[in-house]
Coordinates of all heavy atoms in Angstrom, one line a residue:
L740 N 43.9 113.1 134.5 CA 44.7 112.7 133.3 C 45.5 113.9 132.7 O 46.5 113.8 132.1 CB 43.8 112.1 132.3 CG 44.6 111.5 131.0 CD1 45.3 110.2 131.4 CD2 43.6 111.2 129.9
P743 N 50.8 117.0 133.4 CA 51.9 116.7 132.6 C 52.7 115.4 133.1 O 53.4 114.9 132.3 CB 52.8 117.9 132.6 CG 52.4 118.7 133.7 CD 50.9 118.4 134.0
L744 N 52.5 115.0 134.3 CA 53.2 113.8 134.7 C 52.4 112.6 134.3 O 52.8 111.5 134.4 CB 53.4 113.8 136.3 CG 54.3 114.9 136.8 CD1 54.5 114.7 138.3 CD2 55.6 115.0 136.1
H745 N 51.1 112.8 133.9 CA 50.2 111.7 133.5 C 50.0 111.8 132.0 O 50.9 111.9 131.2 CB 49.0 111.7 134.4 CG 48.1 110.5 134.4 ND1 48.4 109.4 133.8 CD2 46.8 110.3 135.0 CE1 47.4 108.5 134.0 NE2 46.5 109.1 134.7
G746 N 48.7 111.9 131.6 CA 48.4 111.9 130.2 C 48.9 113.1 129.5 O 49.2 113.1 128.3
A748 N 51.6 114.3 129.5 CA 53.0 114.1 129.1 C 53.1 114.0 127.5 O 54.1 114.4 127.0 CB 53.6 112.9 129.7
A773 N 67.4 117.0 132.0 CA 66.6 116.0 132.7 C 67.4 115.5 133.9 O 66.8 115.0 134.9 CB 66.2 114.9 131.8
K778 N 65.9 119.1 139.3 CA 64.7 118.4 138.8 C 63.6 119.2 138.3 O 62.4 118.9 138.4 CB 64.2 117.4 139.9 CG 65.2 116.4 140.3 CD 64.5 115.3 141.2 CE 65.6 114.3 141.7 NZ 66.3 113.5 140.7
F780 N 63.3 120.0 135.1 CA 62.9 119.5 133.8 C 63.0 118.0 133.8 O 63.8 117.4 134.5 CB 64.0 120.1 132.8 CG 63.7 119.6 131.4 CD1 62.8 120.3 130.6 CD2 64.4 118.5 130.8 CE1 62.5 119.9 129.3 CE2 64.1 118.1 129.5 CZ 63.2 118.8 128.8
R781 N 62.0 117.4 133.1 CA 62.0 115.9 133.0 C 62.1 115.6 131.6 O 61.7 116.3 130.7 CB 60.7 115.4 133.5 CG 60.2 115.9 134.8 CD 59.6 114.9 135.7 NE 60.5 114.8 136.8 CZ 60.5 113.7 137.7 NH1 59.7 112.7 137.5 NH2 61.3 113.7 138.7
L782 N 62.6 114.4 131.3 CA 62.6 113.9 130.0 C 61.2 113.3 129.8 O 60.9 112.2 130.3 CB 63.7 112.8 129.8 CG 63.8 112.3 128.3 CD1 64.0 113.4 127.3 CD2 64.9 111.2 128.2
Y783 N 60.3 114.1 129.3 CA 58.9 113.6 129.2 C 58.8 112.4 128.3 O 59.5 112.3 127.3 CB 58.0 114.8 128.7 CG 57.8 115.8 129.8 CD1 58.5 116.9 129.9 CD2 56.8 115.5 130.8 CE1 58.3 117.8 130.9 CE2 56.7 116.4 131.8 CZ 57.4 117.5 131.9 OH 57.2 118.4 133.0
G784 N 57.9 111.5 128.6 CA 57.7 110.3 127.9 C 58.7 109.2 128.3 O 58.8 108.2 127.7
F785 N 59.4 109.5 129.4 CA 60.4 108.5 130.0 C 60.0 108.3 131.5 O 59.6 109.2 132.2 CB 61.8 109.1 129.9 CG 62.6 108.4 128.8 CD1 62.4 108.7 127.5 CD2 63.6 107.5 129.1 CE1 63.1 108.1 126.5 CE2 64.3 106.9 128.1 CZ 64.1 107.2 126.8
G786 N 60.2 107.1 131.9 CA 60.1 106.8 133.3 C 58.6 106.3 133.6 O 57.7 106.7 132.9
H787 N 58.5 105.6 134.6 CA 57.1 105.1 135.0 C 57.2 104.6 136.4 O 58.2 104.0 136.8 CB 56.7 104.0 134.1 CG 55.2 103.8 134.1 ND1 54.6 102.9 135.0 CD2 54.2 104.3 133.3 CE1 53.3 103.0 134.8 NE2 53.0 103.8 133.8
R788 N 56.1 104.8 137.2 CA 56.0 104.3 138.6 C 56.1 102.8 138.6 O 56.8 102.2 139.5 CB 54.7 104.8 139.2 CG 54.4 104.2 140.6 CD 55.4 104.6 141.6 NE 55.6 106.1 141.8 CZ 54.7 106.8 142.6 NH1 53.7 106.3 143.1 NH2 55.0 108.1 142.7
K791 N 59.8 99.2 135.2 CA 61.2 99.4 135.3 C 61.9 98.7 134.1 O 63.0 98.2 134.2 CB 61.7 98.8 136.7 CG 61.0 99.4 137.9 CD 61.2 101.0 137.9 CE 60.2 101.6 138.8 NZ 60.0 103.1 138.6
R796 N 53.7 99.2 125.6 CA 52.9 100.1 124.8 C 53.8 101.0 123.9 O 53.5 101.3 122.7 CB 52.0 101.0 125.6 CG 51.1 100.2 126.5 CD 50.4 101.0 127.6 NE 51.4 101.7 128.5 CZ 51.0 102.6 129.4 NH1 49.8 102.9 129.5 NH2 52.0 103.1 130.2
Y833 N 72.5 107.8 134.1 CA 71.4 108.3 135.0 C 70.1 107.5 134.7 O 69.4 107.1 135.6 CB 71.2 109.8 134.6 CG 70.0 110.4 135.3 CD1 70.2 111.1 136.5 CD2 68.7 110.4 134.7 CE1 69.1 111.7 137.1 CE2 67.6 110.9 135.4 CZ 67.8 111.6 136.6 OH 66.7 112.2 137.2
F834 N 69.8 107.3 133.4 CA 68.6 106.6 133.0 C 68.7 105.1 133.2 O 67.8 104.5 133.7 CB 68.2 107.0 131.6 CG 67.9 108.4 131.4 CD1 68.9 109.3 131.1 CD2 66.6 108.9 131.6 CE1 68.6 110.7 130.9 CE2 66.3 110.2 131.4 CZ 67.4 111.2 131.1
R837 N 68.4 104.2 137.0 CA 67.1 104.4 137.5 C 66.0 103.6 136.7 O 64.8 103.8 137.0 CB 66.7 105.9 137.5 CG 67.5 106.7 138.5 CD 67.3 108.2 138.3 NE 68.0 109.0 139.3 CZ 69.3 109.2 139.3 NH1 70.1 108.6 138.4 NH2 69.8 110.0 140.3
L839 N 64.9 104.0 133.7 CA 64.0 104.9 133.0 C 64.0 104.6 131.5 O 65.0 104.7 130.8 CB 64.4 106.3 133.2 CG 64.5 106.8 134.7 CD1 65.0 108.2 134.8 CD2 63.1 106.7 135.4
N842 N 58.0 105.6 127.9 CA 56.6 105.1 128.2 C 55.7 105.4 127.1 O 56.1 105.9 126.0 CB 56.2 105.8 129.6 CG 56.1 107.3 129.5 OD1 55.6 107.8 128.5 ND2 56.7 108.0 130.5
V843 N 54.4 105.1 127.3 CA 53.4 105.2 126.2 C 53.4 106.6 125.6 O 53.0 106.7 124.4 CB 52.0 104.8 126.8 CG1 51.5 105.9 127.8 CG2 51.0 104.5 125.7
D844 N 53.7 107.6 126.3 CA 53.6 109.0 125.8 C 54.8 109.4 124.8 O 54.7 110.4 124.2 CB 53.5 110.0 126.9 CG 52.2 109.8 127.7 OD1 51.2 109.7 127.0 OD2 52.3 109.8 128.9
F865 N 44.1 110.5 124.4 CA 44.4 109.6 125.5 C 43.1 109.3 126.3 O 42.8 108.2 126.7 CB 45.5 110.2 126.4 CG 46.2 109.3 127.4 CD1 47.5 109.6 127.8 CD2 45.5 108.3 128.0 CE1 48.1 108.8 128.7 CE2 46.1 107.5 129.0 CZ 47.4 107.7 129.3
Ligands
CMC1010 N1 63.3 112.5 133.6 C1 64.3 112.7 134.5 N2 64.3 112.0 135.7 C2 63.3 111.1 135.9 C3 62.3 110.9 135.1 C4 62.3 111.7 133.9 N3 61.3 111.5 132.9 N4 61.4 110.0 135.6 C5 61.9 109.7 136.8 N5 63.1 110.3 137.0 C6 64.0 110.2 138.2 C7 63.3 110.8 139.4 O1 63.6 112.1 139.5 C8 64.0 109.9 140.5 O2 65.3 110.4 140.6 P1 66.1 110.3 142.0 O3 66.2 108.9 142.4 O4 67.4 110.9 141.8 O5 65.3 111.1 143.0 C9 64.1 108.6 139.8 O6 64.1 108.8 138.4 C10 63.0 107.6 140.2 O7 61.8 108.2 139.8 P2 60.5 107.4 140.2 O8 60.3 107.4 141.7 O9 60.5 106.1 139.5 O10 59.4 108.3 139.6 P3 57.8 108.3 140.0 O11 57.3 107.0 140.1 O12 57.6 109.2 141.2 O13 57.2 109.1 138.8 C11 56.7 109.5 136.5 C12 56.8 108.5 137.6 C13 56.0 108.9 135.3 C14 55.8 110.7 137.0 C15 58.1 110.1 136.2 O14 58.9 109.1 135.6 C16 58.0 111.3 135.2 O15 57.8 112.4 135.7 N6 58.1 111.0 133.9 C17 58.0 112.1 132.9 C18 56.5 112.4 132.7 C19 55.8 111.3 131.9 O16 56.4 110.8 130.9 N7 54.7 110.8 132.4 C20 53.9 109.8 131.7 C21 53.8 108.5 132.5 S1 53.2 107.1 131.5 C22 51.6 107.4 131.1 C23 50.7 108.0 132.1 O17 50.6 107.4 133.2 O18 50.1 108.9 131.8

Side-chain angles (χ1 to χ4, degrees):
L740 186 74
L744 296 187
H745 193 7
K778 296 193 186 295
F780 180 82
R781 316 223 113 195
L782 183 58
Y783 284 98
F785 257 73
H787 198 274
R788 174 65 59 79
K791 300 302 164 200
R796 303 167 299 173
Y833 175 93
F834 295 89
R837 290 169 177 75
L839 302 174
N842 62 46
V843 69
D844 294 314
F865 192 150

